[in-house]
Amino acid sequence: MSQKAAFLERQGDHYFERNGAKPAFKSPVIEAIKSIGLPNPKTILEIGCSTGAQLDQMTAAFGAKGFGIEPSQKAVDDGSKLFPALNLQQGTADELPYADAQFDLVVFGGCLYLCDPSDYFKIAYHADRVLAPGGLLVVFDWATDLPYSNPYQHAEGLRAYKMDFTSMFRWHPRYRFLSRAYYENTEPYTFQPNDQQAIDLLLKSIKAGF
């Protein structure tokens, strides 16, 4: 079974059952975005949004309309009750059901490491398609110098893939790398490869590239 099918059918719900009851943390993405001084986004998409807790914080901080897509139907159902102003639905990053250039801000919320590498081209295509020119792309995920994978500890046969996911976009001059802030869930901050996470910001601007 593919990673995508596994997370749509059961692993997404299992992930939510393990982590969904944890208190919502204050999103570090908001301060990272504010630090670059761009105009506030009016429309936000979070890919891998769980219940939408981080998305709700972002929409409140920027006065924006929020959309989220998440493989766990249980997370979507809970989030729709908790945050009725958000537009949440079940789905995956490789098939985004949104219009071209619909969003000013697209955020990968810690989901790429569980996506199958065979889907990376489709994932990058759809993220670029729905992000408006001049929009901001945020990649909040593992950020290792060299790609590697290890067995996904919660399900036999699945793997966790770790790499610098901004490389999916930085090769194109349309994307200008703005900043990176390292983030870890726990102290001390040793920044070992298996613990290193980053919040990366990229501006979609063909003028900035040439």
Side-chain angles (χ1 to χ4, degrees):
M1 180 181 292
S2 70
Q3 298 258 129
K4 174 180 175 177
F7 276 88
L8 280 172
E9 290 185 14
R10 59 179 181 272
Q11 291 305 321
D13 286 341
H14 291 172
Y15 183 99
F16 173 64
E17 288 164 359
R18 290 192 304 273
N19 298 285
K22 295 179 180 178
F25 65 98
K26 183 179 179 181
S27 172
V29 173
I30 295 170
E31 291 306 315
I33 294 172
K34 287 182 175 180
S35 71
I36 60 175
L38 291 178
N40 286 352
K42 297 302 180 186
T43 50
I44 302 172
L45 171 65
E46 183 175 9
I47 303 168
C49 65
S50 187
T51 62
Q54 177 170 250
L55 180 60
D56 181 67
Q57 293 179 43
M58 290 189 288
T59 58
F62 299 119
K65 188 172 183 180
F67 296 76
I69 192 162
E70 160 65 40
S72 168
Q73 187 62 56
K74 288 185 177 181
V76 170
D77 291 343
D78 278 18
S80 296
K81 296 173 184 176
L82 290 168
F83 310 110
L86 301 179
N87 297 274
L88 307 179
Q89 66 184 93
Q90 186 187 34
T92 53
D94 63 316
E95 295 184 35
L96 298 179
Y98 306 106
D100 293 358
Q102 183 172 344
F103 302 104
D104 304 316
L105 171 62
V106 172
V107 178
F108 285 100
C111 62
L112 286 170
Y113 80 104
L114 295 175
C115 295
D116 193 308
S118 64
D119 290 330
Y120 287 172
F121 282 117
K122 291 189 288 184
I123 290 169
Y125 163 75
H126 277 283
D128 175 66
R129 181 183 62 78
V130 303
L131 181 62
L136 187 66
L137 178 70
V138 176
V139 181
F140 183 13
D141 217 301
W142 305 103
T144 61
D145 292 334
L146 297 174
Y148 76 99
S149 70
N150 51 268
Y152 183 56
Q153 62 178 321
H154 304 290
E156 186 176 354
L158 301 183
R159 300 192 69 81
Y161 298 93
K162 297 171 184 179
M163 57 176 276
D164 183 349
F165 288 105
T166 66
S167 64
M168 294 166 58
F169 301 91
R170 281 189 294 105
W171 68 270
H172 198 295
R174 177 183 292 161
Y175 282 90
R176 178 184 176 188
F177 187 87
L178 297 179
S179 69
R180 165 171 287 181
Y182 285 105
Y183 171 84
E184 288 192 75
N185 288 316
T186 57
E187 296 184 16
Y189 302 121
T190 57
F191 298 114
Q192 296 300 310
N194 202 45
D195 298 322
Q196 184 168 289
Q197 295 175 301
I199 302 167
D200 292 318
L201 277 60
L202 298 93
L203 177 68
K204 181 179 178 178
S205 173
I206 199 69
K207 291 181 180 180
F210 285 98

